[in-house]
């Protein structure tokens, strides 16, 4: 997601009695997310008909892709943990405690590393 900032600065001078006062006014709008602000979207649509629809479709595709990627990472985490547990159990059954410990630890480490990408 990209952030977009736009601002407006205004300077005016006022006369108050015998003093001249300078007034500075600044306004800033920040939009964060895959979609532009509604007035920007309307401006895109006015400049090129169909642009608003394309922007909305692009945002939908991006959200779908992000959810799919998160789902695949969750599946990879489950496979890493279950694979480590399965191999560890088999090695333990064959009386190989060191190999079982390594298998369990590696499955857990892989799952932890993948989890960092999900959040």
């Amino acid at each position: 997601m990209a952030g977009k900032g736009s601002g407006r600065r205004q300077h005016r001078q006022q006369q108050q009695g015998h003093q001249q006062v300078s007034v500075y006014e600044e306004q800033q709008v920040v939009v964060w997310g895959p979609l532009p602000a509604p007035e920007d979207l309307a401006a895109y649509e006015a400049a090129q008909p169909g642009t608003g629809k394309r922007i909305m479709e692009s945002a939908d595709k991006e959200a779908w892709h992000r959810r799919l990627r998160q789902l695949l990472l969750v599946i990879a985490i489950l496979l890493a943990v279950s694979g480590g547990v399965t191999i560890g159990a088999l090695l333990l059954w064959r009386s190989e405690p060191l190999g079982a410990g390594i298998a369990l630890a590696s499955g857990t480490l892989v799952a932890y590393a993948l989890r960092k990408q999900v959040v």
Side-chain angles (χ1 to χ4, degrees):
M1 290 185 218
K4 176 189 168 198
S6 63
R8 184 184 76 187
R9 291 184 179 171
Q10 184 178 8
H11 174 248
R12 63 179 189 264
Q13 294 185 346
Q14 297 176 343
Q15 190 75 26
Q16 290 183 349
H18 296 293
Q19 295 180 340
Q20 187 170 355
V21 179
S22 291
V23 178
Y24 291 92
E25 182 180 311
E26 184 173 327
Q27 178 184 13
Q28 185 172 7
V29 177
V30 177
V31 178
W32 190 261
L35 294 175
E39 51 274 355
D40 292 340
L41 192 59
Y44 290 138
E45 188 64 33
Q48 177 70 42
T51 303
K53 181 179 178 185
R54 288 197 308 270
I55 290 172
M56 296 296 286
E57 288 172 351
S58 176
D60 285 343
K61 287 178 185 177
E62 190 274 334
W64 181 85
H65 180 264
R66 187 177 58 248
R67 288 190 298 270
L68 177 64
R69 184 173 182 269
Q70 287 177 341
L71 175 65
L72 292 176
L73 282 170
V74 168
I75 291 170
I77 289 169
L78 291 174
L79 289 175
V81 170
S82 62
V85 168
T86 303
I87 292 171
L90 286 173
L91 289 173
L92 209 62
W93 179 64
R94 293 182 51 118
S95 299
E96 308 236 3
L98 180 61
I102 292 171
L104 288 170
S106 63
T108 303
L109 288 174
V110 168
Y112 181 75
L114 289 174
R115 183 192 67 84
K116 289 289 192 179
Q117 294 181 18
V118 173
V119 287

